[in-house]
Amino acid sequence: MAKKKCKCYSGIGGQAVLEGVMMKNQEKYAVAVRKPNGEIEVELENYQGILHGSKVKEIPFIRGIFNFVDSLVLGMKCLNYSASFYEDGEDEKPDKAADKVSGGRGEKLMTTLVTIFSIVLAVGIFIVLPYYLASFFQGFVRNASLMAIIEGAIRIAIFILYVWGISLMKDIRRLYRYHGAEHKCINCIEKGRPLTVHNVMRSSRLHRRCGTSFIFFVLFVSIVLFFFIRVENPVQRVVLRILLMPVVAGISYEIIRLAGRSENILVRIISAPGMLIQRMTTKEPDREMAEVAIAAVEAVFDWKKYLYENFGYEVDETWMDDSAEETAQTGQLFDDEQGDEVSEEK
């Protein structure tokens, strides 16, 4: 059967974790981790999230707020799981200590506390700090509209510097490589290719539904909202910015949701800055990292059925293996999104 041309939304997403990848499809999620002995461990679970089954989570611009919170909670849970394979067993784990306080719910308590702390820290760095730094320009700039733009520019600059700064850390660079493997798997499937290591490695590491792009949309939307919504009192201005963040997150979610489903030229233009920042937050993985990402995908997603339904062909396992082995010997991989050749890391 001839292959149909299609750019289809798969519905799967994920994140990088310590020496692994988490993939989520509807309520199912899987965490695949490369253990210290080299084996791949896969944990498959369900995550229903807050307000499960409520119609509120289906309302546009409202659902993004709850999905954002769910992604933070689930992401922290998966990071803790992956870290458990590399912790020193002789030391008492924080969640075990919390078990004594919470009556056996230590992991949930620690995840909640860390999530709250992360949100507070993010608000301090990306909301309060830019406003404080922008206030130094008030003696030179009397135009309120220009001040709002300056504050937004500072906010974006801080975010880019933060991403660049943590990328200098060895562990973060490795995390970014697993982040690249996650994107490559999703792009491989949505381009209509069988999910093999070879096909994953030749796919793009950039994706428009990435969390990095979501954060950029949050920063951009906040500039627009704060430009039009103003108060004179400095304390009230800071409080208003914090209170509007759920609104900003809801709008940003709808934008990135559209970006993942549309090939419209306007959508591609507004997605371009986030895609550029992804060049810092994703790095080229090696083949072993791709294997881990594939294991996470296959635990929650029937990609063969997806290819048949959306691209019109069944995967021939024998042909797929022989083709991959033959073409892998060329030593070069083609990146569809960027249109250039990249060397495969050995």
Side-chain angles (χ1 to χ4, degrees):
M1 185 180 294
K3 176 182 172 181
K4 297 185 294 185
K5 289 186 177 180
C6 176
K7 175 61 177 177
C8 301
Y9 172 71
S10 65
I12 59 174
Q15 73 170 62
V17 297
L18 182 63
E19 292 299 324
V21 171
M22 181 274 286
M23 286 290 185
K24 187 173 186 294
N25 181 27
Q26 297 180 358
E27 293 182 358
K28 293 195 301 182
Y29 76 92
V31 188
V33 178
R34 178 79 69 178
K35 297 194 296 184
N37 63 5
E39 296 178 358
I40 299 177
E41 179 82 12
V42 180
E43 180 182 67
L44 178 62
E45 296 284 350
N46 281 357
Y47 181 76
Q48 297 178 335
I50 57 177
L51 297 183
H52 173 64
S54 172
K55 295 295 184 181
V56 174
K57 295 188 72 173
E58 300 177 7
I59 302 175
F61 301 103
I62 299 295
R63 59 191 174 190
I65 302 171
F66 298 103
N67 282 322
F68 176 65
V69 174
D70 283 341
S71 66
L72 286 178
V73 174
L74 179 59
M76 198 63 61
K77 178 182 176 68
C78 294
L79 280 171
N80 289 339
Y81 171 76
S82 64
S84 67
F85 291 99
Y86 292 87
E87 291 173 341
D88 187 352
E90 296 181 359
D91 297 330
E92 185 179 28
K93 296 180 182 179
D95 55 346
K96 288 186 177 180
D99 277 339
K100 301 176 182 179
V101 179
S102 61
R105 293 177 294 178
E107 182 181 356
K108 185 176 182 179
L109 175 63
M110 288 300 298
T111 299
T112 301
L113 291 176
V114 173
T115 301
I116 293 173
F117 175 77
S118 300
I119 294 175
V120 172
L121 186 63
V123 168
I125 294 176
F126 300 114
I127 301 298
V128 179
L129 180 60
Y131 172 78
Y132 174 75
L133 294 177
S135 66
F136 287 106
F137 292 89
Q138 288 181 343
F140 310 97
V141 180
R142 298 299 182 182
N143 186 290
S145 298
L146 183 56
M147 281 298 301
I149 295 174
I150 291 173
E151 181 186 342
I154 292 174
R155 185 173 294 114
I156 292 176
I158 289 175
F159 173 63
I160 293 175
L161 286 173
Y162 171 80
V163 169
W164 173 79
I166 64 174
S167 69
L168 300 178
M169 302 169 59
K170 181 179 178 180
D171 290 342
I172 297 298
R173 286 200 304 271
R174 191 161 179 84
L175 189 73
Y176 284 173
R177 294 179 73 186
Y178 275 106
H179 190 193
E182 174 222 329
H183 283 190
K184 281 174 171 283
C185 278
I186 298 175
N187 278 320
C188 176
I189 294 169
E190 293 183 343
K191 287 287 186 179
R193 298 174 179 148
L195 193 63
T196 66
V197 172
H198 170 70
N199 286 336
V200 167
M201 293 297 289
R202 66 191 287 258
S203 299
S204 172
R205 74 176 196 267
L206 309 182
H207 199 285
R208 290 205 294 270
R209 292 202 317 272
C210 175
T212 303
S213 294
F214 172 78
I215 295 175
F216 179 82
F217 284 136
V218 166
L219 299 177
F220 179 76
V221 171
S222 68
I223 293 175
V224 176
L225 282 184
F226 299 160
F227 183 88
F228 292 103
I229 302 176
R230 304 172 188 169
V231 292
E232 294 299 324
N233 185 281
V235 175
Q236 291 179 351
R237 281 203 292 267
V238 174
V239 173
L240 180 64
R241 280 156 171 71
I242 295 174
L243 293 178
L244 282 174
M245 288 316 297
V247 178
V248 172
I251 296 173
S252 302
Y253 175 81
E254 297 303 323
I255 296 175
I256 200 167
R257 181 182 171 90
L258 174 64
R261 292 168 166 79
S262 174
E263 290 295 313
N264 183 278
I265 184 63
L266 179 60
V267 172
R268 295 179 69 89
I269 290 173
I270 64 175
S271 298
M275 299 286 279
L276 286 174
I277 298 174
Q278 282 184 50
R279 291 180 179 273
M280 288 191 289
T281 62
T282 62
K283 301 297 179 185
E284 286 295 324
D286 58 29
R287 297 178 69 86
E288 290 188 347
M289 293 174 177
E291 289 174 355
V292 174
I294 290 172
V297 173
E298 292 185 329
V300 297
F301 188 73
D302 188 348
W303 59 268
K304 295 177 185 177
K305 179 181 178 182
Y306 170 85
L307 293 185
Y308 180 76
E309 292 178 347
N310 292 278
F311 294 88
Y313 70 90
E314 295 181 344
V315 176
D316 187 322
E317 295 286 350
T318 303
W319 174 87
M320 182 178 67
D321 293 339
D322 292 343
S323 175
E325 182 178 357
E326 179 181 352
T327 53
Q329 294 174 1
T330 61
Q332 290 184 325
L333 308 171
F334 189 78
D335 190 316
D336 291 310
E337 191 72 32
Q338 295 127 65
D340 59 352
E341 289 183 340
V342 291
S343 298
E344 178 182 355
E345 297 188 38
K346 301 298 182 182

